[in-house]
RNA sequence: GGCGGCGUAGCCAAGUGGCCCAAGGCGAUGGUUUGCAAAACCAUUAUCCGUGGGUUCGAAUCCCACCGCCGCCUCCA
């Protein structure tokens, strides 16, 4: 398994800390608004990676945080807090807002068939853990207190900048930072903030206040995965400052290497443009579903291109994704028919090879820094060969189905189970079948037209049978 | 100003020195099949990989220049 490590700027062989096990932390949502498709691309990359590790037989412990403490809107630690802004606007308690959007996030995750993390720790439930780390950082001389605020002194951490490449000199040269007189260095970041206007307040050794942004991930990752763990994922924007600061805090506090492999997902574009509120192209999963796009097509579309590539999300792309999934699903339906209705027998060697080669190539493709395009190519080559195979017995069909299911354990795009067909649709299909037997094509076509008008599709199968599908849905 | 990425067919996209007259998906066209369809299968759809140079026996792949697009740089995944 090879992965591109942002820390080393290289593709590296993945070596887990414990054989057969992977500890993985993903930066989750900040719950002051509905997460959009861009957020979910990043979450889906984590899901794909996790599923692939499981495909390879690893036992994965996956932690995804829920940030329910708002962060400052402006730069330089000043300005309004997003969660609080939302709370004030909607005249609600910050925790109500957080819960509402957490629910929205969970619902969308489920729609996208994202495997739940082992734990979704909330920042507000780990204030004590954060305080403990801050204390340790003060004791070790990495942090200092000024006027009930605690700041991290970046100069004390020699490796500051090793992830992002932003050295202190360069940051000074860039000088986009407003000078805060309290800080020793302009780049020092807040570990604990004092602000009486803030709605969310907790007691601390430095008086009432609230935690800085970065500290939550240091606190929660070490609590659930240990001070040192395998993989940390997030969006590319997290590289600096968030992950840079996490490294500084965690490594200074523990004295250990924090994360072995850093994976960052590049931003999603919408129709060639950056997504933003002003452009009105921040779609949520729920909105796309309401527009009539299938949830598995949304998933397919979002995972179908390489995670280190900007992905241009378009409605045409979504339609193409739907067609692509239909192709797989269609093959599954055919194989299921054969598995149920054909006779048992031996598996021909060429079909055995087809399956094993497919799984091997699929594995190799994704093992190459999650080369999903290549993996999908392997998958479709297999589908074509499976469709071509003639006179298949039920044993063979079952074996090929098993292969597709193994692949889909990673892709997660196939619809589970068959949809319930209403009785009236079955009646029409039966009438059509009878008419066809009588060679009464006029009646048969009329029946088909009726079925179509009711939103279903009839497909004839070999041997005079038929298959019913909901229109626009293979399966 | 600093850091980084990209430019391959109508669209999406893999390939990073010979296996490439370049995978796979979507779309399109023709065919097989079908009572007609649908689905499936077959064939065609890039002799060439932003442009111009260079290195090499050999380049989409390496080097240089240019053009174009995009991201990050204090809280947006």
């Amino acid at each position: 398994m090879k992965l591109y490590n942002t820390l080393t700027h290289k593709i590296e062989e993945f070596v887990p800390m414990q054989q057969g096990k992977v500890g993985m932390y993903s930066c989750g949502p900040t719950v002051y608004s509905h997460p959009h498709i861009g957020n979910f691309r990043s979450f889906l990359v984590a899901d794909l990676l996790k599923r692939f590790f499981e495909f390879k037989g690893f036992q994965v412990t996956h932690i995804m945080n829920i940030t329910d403490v708002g962060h400052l809107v402006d730069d330089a630690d000043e300005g309004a807090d997003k969660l609080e802004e939302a709370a004030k606007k909607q005249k609600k308690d910050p925790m109500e807002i957080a819960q509402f959007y957490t629910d929205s996030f969970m619902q969308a995750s489920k729609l996208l068939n994202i495997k739940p993390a082992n734990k979704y720790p909330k920042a507000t439930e780990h204030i004590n853990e954060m305080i403990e780390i801050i204390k340790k950082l003060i004791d070790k001389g990495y942090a200092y207190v000024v006027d009930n605020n605690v700041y991290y002194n970046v100069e004390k951490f020699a490796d500051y900048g090793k992830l992002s490449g932003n050295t202190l000199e360069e940051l000074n040269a860039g000088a986009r930072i407003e000078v805060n007189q309290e800080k020793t260095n302009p780049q020092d970041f807040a570990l604990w903030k004092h602000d009486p206007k803030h709605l969310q307040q907790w007691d601390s050794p430095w008086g009432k206040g609230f935690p800085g942004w970065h500290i939550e991930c240091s606190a929660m990752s070490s609590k659930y995965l240990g001070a040192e763990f395998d993989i940390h994922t997030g969006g590319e924007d997290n590289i600096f400052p968030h992950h840079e600061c996490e490294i500084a805090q965690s490594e200074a506090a523990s004295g250990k290497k924090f994360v072995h492999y850093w994976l960052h997902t590049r931003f999603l574009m919408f129709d060639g443009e950056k997504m933003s509120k002003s452009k009105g192209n921040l779609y949520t999963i729920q909105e796309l579903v309401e527009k009539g796009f299938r949830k598995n097509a949304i998933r397919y579309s979002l995972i179908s291109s390489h995670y280190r590539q900007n992905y241009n999300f378009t409605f045409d792309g979504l339609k193409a994704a739907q067609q692509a999934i239909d192709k797989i699903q269609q093959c599954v339906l055919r194989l299921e028919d054969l598995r149920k209705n054909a006779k048992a027998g031996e598996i021909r060697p060429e079909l055995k090879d087809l399956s094993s080669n497919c799984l091997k190539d699929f594995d190799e493709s994704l093992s190459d820094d999650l080369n999903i395009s290549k993996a999908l190519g392997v998958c479709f080559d297999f589908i074509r060969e499976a469709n071509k195979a003639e006179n298949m017995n039920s044993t063979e069909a079952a074996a090929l189905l098993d292969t597709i299911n193994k692949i889909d354990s990673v892709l997660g795009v196939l619809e589970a189970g068959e949809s319930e067909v209403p009785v009236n649709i079955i009646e029409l299909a039966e009438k059509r079948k009878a008419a066809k037997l009588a060679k009464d094509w006029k009646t048969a076509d009329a029946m088909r037209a009726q079925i179509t008008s009711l939103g279903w599709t009839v497909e004839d199968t070999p041997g005079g049978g038929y298959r019913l599908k909901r229109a626009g849905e293979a399966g």
Side-chain angles (χ1 to χ4, degrees):
Chain A
M1 180 71 181
K2 290 194 172 106
L3 292 172
Y4 180 86
N5 191 351
T6 310
L7 189 62
T8 56
H9 299 277
K10 272 192 225 121
I11 291 179
E12 294 177 347
E13 185 62 40
F14 174 74
V15 182
M17 291 174 66
Q18 270 185 67
Q19 212 185 354
K21 291 187 179 175
V22 181
M24 198 169 135
Y25 186 91
S26 298
C27 276
T30 304
V31 284
Y32 60 84
S33 67
H34 292 290
H36 51 74
I37 48 176
N39 299 320
F40 274 103
R41 161 135 125 131
S42 165
F43 303 148
L44 279 167
V45 167
D47 185 59
L48 185 70
L49 182 65
K50 173 164 90 175
R51 284 167 172 266
F52 182 55
F53 272 124
E54 286 173 351
F55 171 91
K56 286 175 94 72
F58 284 88
Q59 193 192 323
V60 182
T61 306
H62 184 212
I63 306 298
M64 180 178 274
N65 64 297
I66 304 282
T67 298
D68 55 355
V69 181
H71 295 314
L72 300 157
V73 161
D74 280 354
D75 56 356
D77 306 332
E78 294 300 328
D81 175 298
K82 282 183 175 165
L83 207 98
E84 301 217 332
E85 266 198 342
K88 280 175 193 156
K89 246 185 220 162
Q90 300 179 31
K91 296 201 166 57
K92 281 183 183 153
D93 182 79
M95 290 317 288
E96 261 181 82
I97 299 283
Q99 192 54 52
F100 177 77
Y101 290 112
T102 302
D103 292 345
S104 162
F105 162 72
M106 290 298 177
Q107 186 196 24
S109 297
K110 204 171 171 192
L111 283 172
L112 290 181
N113 198 17
I114 291 177
K115 281 192 162 187
N118 297 74
K119 174 109 187 142
Y120 291 97
K122 292 180 178 176
T124 51
E125 290 170 6
H126 295 80
I127 302 290
N128 287 337
E129 285 85 345
M130 296 186 217
I131 289 175
E132 286 312 309
I133 295 185
I134 298 172
K135 275 192 202 161
K136 204 181 262 179
L137 289 172
I138 295 173
D139 289 347
K140 289 190 167 186
Y142 287 100
Y144 56 95
V145 185
V146 185
D147 194 22
N148 297 325
N149 294 315
V150 186
Y151 293 104
Y152 188 102
N153 186 341
V154 291
E155 261 185 1
K156 292 279 163 75
F157 188 71
D159 279 342
Y160 192 78
K162 71 175 172 181
L163 182 73
S164 62
N166 288 336
T167 62
L168 290 178
E169 301 80 67
E170 277 161 0
L171 284 171
N172 283 328
R176 254 181 62 174
I177 303 152
E178 267 179 54
V179 181
N180 176 337
Q181 297 300 337
E182 283 187 356
K183 294 180 182 177
T184 305
N185 308 292
Q187 295 79 21
D188 289 352
F189 55 91
L191 296 170
W192 190 264
K193 283 293 285 180
H194 166 72
D195 178 359
K197 295 198 294 289
H198 213 259
L199 294 176
Q200 292 171 295
Q201 299 273 349
W202 291 270
D203 284 319
S204 82
W206 317 285
K208 272 195 185 292
F210 57 97
W213 174 32
H214 317 299
I215 196 69
E216 63 174 82
C217 287
S218 290
M220 297 191 282
S221 63
S222 67
K223 176 165 180 180
Y224 297 104
L225 292 169
E228 182 173 358
F229 58 94
D230 296 303
I231 298 175
H232 195 313
T233 74
E236 62 173 324
D237 59 323
N238 283 151
I239 297 171
F240 190 86
H242 186 48
H243 290 161
E244 193 71 69
C245 296
E246 273 186 53
I247 293 176
Q249 294 163 348
S250 296
E251 299 198 344
S254 72
K256 289 179 182 164
K257 187 183 177 85
F258 175 42
V259 169
H260 290 214
Y261 303 89
W262 287 93
L263 261 74
H264 292 100
T265 306
R266 242 165 244 295
F267 269 121
L268 183 78
M269 321 278 286
F270 187 90
D271 251 342
E273 288 187 310
K274 185 183 170 158
M275 296 199 307
S276 70
K277 261 188 194 140
S278 56
K279 284 179 182 141
N281 55 11
L282 286 177
Y283 288 97
T284 67
I285 305 305
Q286 287 92 334
E287 277 169 348
L288 291 176
V289 169
E290 277 161 25
K291 275 180 178 287
F293 292 107
R294 272 184 283 149
K295 56 193 185 178
N296 57 348
I298 303 170
R299 178 183 168 97
Y300 183 100
S301 174
L302 287 172
I303 64 172
S304 65
S305 82
H306 192 76
Y307 73 99
R308 281 193 292 118
Q309 197 88 43
N310 282 118
Y311 178 56
N312 187 18
F313 188 91
T314 60
F315 290 138
D316 281 346
L318 258 186
K319 284 177 201 147
Q322 283 188 187
Q323 289 306 114
I325 296 171
D326 281 353
K327 193 169 201 163
I328 306 174
Q329 198 88 48
Q330 198 71 35
C331 178
V332 168
L333 289 174
R334 178 169 164 267
L335 290 173
E336 269 171 358
D337 277 353
L338 286 164
R339 185 182 52 120
K340 282 183 208 149
N341 304 320
K343 286 190 182 117
E346 295 283 300
I347 302 177
R348 279 167 279 179
E350 62 265 33
L351 290 184
K352 207 169 227 172
D353 289 349
L354 179 65
S355 278
S356 59
N357 287 336
C358 168
L359 289 173
K360 184 176 131 273
D361 294 344
F362 184 77
D363 187 338
E364 271 176 17
S365 304
L366 285 178
S367 293
D368 180 16
D369 192 32
L370 291 181
N371 190 336
I372 186 73
S373 303
K374 206 170 171 186
L376 288 173
V378 170
C379 173
F380 284 104
D381 284 339
F382 174 83
I383 298 291
R384 193 186 326 105
E385 293 307 316
N387 281 333
K388 269 203 274 190
E390 286 174 352
N391 304 318
M392 214 185 284
N393 63 49
S394 67
T395 320
E396 289 170 330
L400 295 188
L401 264 177
D402 186 55
T403 302
I404 295 181
N405 287 139
K406 275 181 184 144
I407 286 174
D408 192 57
S409 72
V410 180
L411 301 181
V413 295
L414 294 182
E415 299 281 359
E418 291 164 47
S419 40
E420 289 267 319
V421 185
V423 184
N424 60 322
I425 301 291
I426 295 177
E427 277 172 7
L428 289 168
E430 285 298 325
K431 276 186 195 162
R432 173 169 176 270
K433 191 179 173 183
K436 276 183 64 178
L437 267 174
K439 295 202 189 288
D440 178 1
W441 310 127
K442 216 174 163 186
T443 309
D445 288 350
M447 293 302 108
R448 183 166 64 199
Q450 262 200 57
I451 292 170
T452 307
S453 72
L454 290 167
W456 288 76
T457 306
V458 224
E459 279 177 12
D460 293 339
T461 55
Y466 61 85
R467 181 186 294 143
L468 287 161
K469 301 193 304 189
R470 212 190 292 276
E473 169 192 74

